[in-house]
PDB file of all heavy atoms in Angstrom:
ATOM      1  N   VAL J 160      53.073  41.068 -53.787  1.00  0.00           N
ATOM      2  CA  VAL J 160      52.788  39.772 -54.412  1.00  0.00           C
ATOM      3  C   VAL J 160      51.380  39.709 -54.985  1.00  0.00           C
ATOM      4  O   VAL J 160      51.065  38.808 -55.743  1.00  0.00           O
ATOM      5  CB  VAL J 160      52.999  38.584 -53.431  1.00  0.00           C
ATOM      6  CG1 VAL J 160      54.430  38.526 -52.954  1.00  0.00           C
ATOM      7  CG2 VAL J 160      52.036  38.641 -52.266  1.00  0.00           C
ATOM      8  N   LEU J 167      53.819  55.824 -50.862  1.00  0.00           N
ATOM      9  CA  LEU J 167      54.621  56.455 -49.822  1.00  0.00           C
ATOM     10  C   LEU J 167      54.167  57.892 -49.628  1.00  0.00           C
ATOM     11  O   LEU J 167      53.846  58.593 -50.598  1.00  0.00           O
ATOM     12  CB  LEU J 167      56.100  56.439 -50.187  1.00  0.00           C
ATOM     13  CG  LEU J 167      56.738  55.078 -50.449  1.00  0.00           C
ATOM     14  CD1 LEU J 167      58.190  55.244 -50.857  1.00  0.00           C
ATOM     15  CD2 LEU J 167      56.630  54.187 -49.236  1.00  0.00           C
ATOM     16  N   GLU J 179      64.469  59.193 -52.410  1.00  0.00           N
ATOM     17  CA  GLU J 179      65.260  57.952 -52.434  1.00  0.00           C
ATOM     18  C   GLU J 179      64.458  56.813 -53.075  1.00  0.00           C
ATOM     19  O   GLU J 179      64.978  56.048 -53.883  1.00  0.00           O
ATOM     20  CB  GLU J 179      65.667  57.568 -51.012  1.00  0.00           C
ATOM     21  CG  GLU J 179      66.578  56.379 -50.924  1.00  0.00           C
ATOM     22  CD  GLU J 179      67.973  56.631 -51.472  1.00  0.00           C
ATOM     23  OE1 GLU J 179      68.432  57.780 -51.478  1.00  0.00           O
ATOM     24  OE2 GLU J 179      68.608  55.649 -51.907  1.00  0.00           O
ATOM     25  N   GLU J 199      43.311  56.696 -56.523  1.00  0.00           N
ATOM     26  CA  GLU J 199      43.674  55.415 -57.117  1.00  0.00           C
ATOM     27  C   GLU J 199      43.873  54.312 -56.077  1.00  0.00           C
ATOM     28  O   GLU J 199      43.901  53.134 -56.427  1.00  0.00           O
ATOM     29  CB  GLU J 199      44.986  55.569 -57.908  1.00  0.00           C
ATOM     30  CG  GLU J 199      44.919  56.574 -59.022  1.00  0.00           C
ATOM     31  CD  GLU J 199      46.291  56.889 -59.596  1.00  0.00           C
ATOM     32  OE1 GLU J 199      47.217  56.044 -59.467  1.00  0.00           O
ATOM     33  OE2 GLU J 199      46.453  57.978 -60.164  1.00  0.00           O
ATOM     34  N   SER J 213      54.624  61.671 -34.514  1.00  0.00           N
ATOM     35  CA  SER J 213      53.394  60.910 -34.762  1.00  0.00           C
ATOM     36  C   SER J 213      52.121  61.700 -34.467  1.00  0.00           C
ATOM     37  O   SER J 213      51.036  61.197 -34.678  1.00  0.00           O
ATOM     38  CB  SER J 213      53.405  59.603 -33.967  1.00  0.00           C
ATOM     39  OG  SER J 213      53.445  59.853 -32.595  1.00  0.00           O
ATOM     40  N   ALA J 222      46.336  59.666 -42.117  1.00  0.00           N
ATOM     41  CA  ALA J 222      46.146  58.387 -41.420  1.00  0.00           C
ATOM     42  C   ALA J 222      44.664  58.114 -41.152  1.00  0.00           C
ATOM     43  O   ALA J 222      44.208  56.973 -41.328  1.00  0.00           O
ATOM     44  CB  ALA J 222      46.928  58.391 -40.111  1.00  0.00           C
ATOM     45  N   ALA J 236      57.533  57.331 -37.453  1.00  0.00           N
ATOM     46  CA  ALA J 236      57.634  58.643 -36.808  1.00  0.00           C
ATOM     47  C   ALA J 236      58.100  58.463 -35.374  1.00  0.00           C
ATOM     48  O   ALA J 236      57.973  57.379 -34.807  1.00  0.00           O
ATOM     49  CB  ALA J 236      56.273  59.349 -36.820  1.00  0.00           C
ATOM     50  N   LYS J 238      57.414  58.684 -31.694  1.00  0.00           N
ATOM     51  CA  LYS J 238      56.202  58.636 -30.879  1.00  0.00           C
ATOM     52  C   LYS J 238      56.518  59.082 -29.464  1.00  0.00           C
ATOM     53  O   LYS J 238      57.437  58.597 -28.839  1.00  0.00           O
ATOM     54  CB  LYS J 238      55.640  57.219 -30.853  1.00  0.00           C
ATOM     55  CG  LYS J 238      54.314  57.115 -30.127  1.00  0.00           C
ATOM     56  CD  LYS J 238      53.766  55.701 -30.217  1.00  0.00           C
ATOM     57  CE  LYS J 238      52.409  55.578 -29.575  1.00  0.00           C
ATOM     58  NZ  LYS J 238      52.379  55.918 -28.176  1.00  0.00           N
ATOM     59  N   HIS J 253      53.518  50.386 -36.588  1.00  0.00           N
ATOM     60  CA  HIS J 253      54.230  51.642 -36.367  1.00  0.00           C
ATOM     61  C   HIS J 253      55.689  51.356 -36.062  1.00  0.00           C
ATOM     62  O   HIS J 253      56.005  50.451 -35.286  1.00  0.00           O
ATOM     63  CB  HIS J 253      53.630  52.438 -35.204  1.00  0.00           C
ATOM     64  CG  HIS J 253      54.374  53.702 -34.934  1.00  0.00           C
ATOM     65  ND1 HIS J 253      54.300  54.792 -35.770  1.00  0.00           N
ATOM     66  CD2 HIS J 253      55.247  54.034 -33.955  1.00  0.00           C
ATOM     67  CE1 HIS J 253      55.087  55.744 -35.303  1.00  0.00           C
ATOM     68  NE2 HIS J 253      55.675  55.309 -34.197  1.00  0.00           N
ATOM     69  N   ASN J 255      58.881  53.338 -34.559  1.00  0.00           N
ATOM     70  CA  ASN J 255      59.277  54.538 -33.836  1.00  0.00           C
ATOM     71  C   ASN J 255      60.690  54.939 -34.237  1.00  0.00           C
ATOM     72  O   ASN J 255      61.605  54.116 -34.200  1.00  0.00           O
ATOM     73  CB  ASN J 255      59.200  54.266 -32.334  1.00  0.00           C
ATOM     74  CG  ASN J 255      59.344  55.509 -31.498  1.00  0.00           C
ATOM     75  OD1 ASN J 255      59.791  56.549 -31.953  1.00  0.00           O
ATOM     76  ND2 ASN J 255      58.949  55.397 -30.244  1.00  0.00           N
ATOM     77  N   ALA J 295      61.965  37.199 -51.827  1.00  0.00           N
ATOM     78  CA  ALA J 295      62.885  36.164 -52.328  1.00  0.00           C
ATOM     79  C   ALA J 295      62.458  34.785 -51.820  1.00  0.00           C
ATOM     80  O   ALA J 295      62.555  33.795 -52.552  1.00  0.00           O
ATOM     81  CB  ALA J 295      64.309  36.467 -51.891  1.00  0.00           C
TER      82      ALA J 295
END
Side-chain angles (χ1 to χ4, degrees):
V160 299
L167 302 178
E179 185 69 26
E199 300 169 24
S213 62
K238 185 176 183 300
H253 178 73
N255 191 344

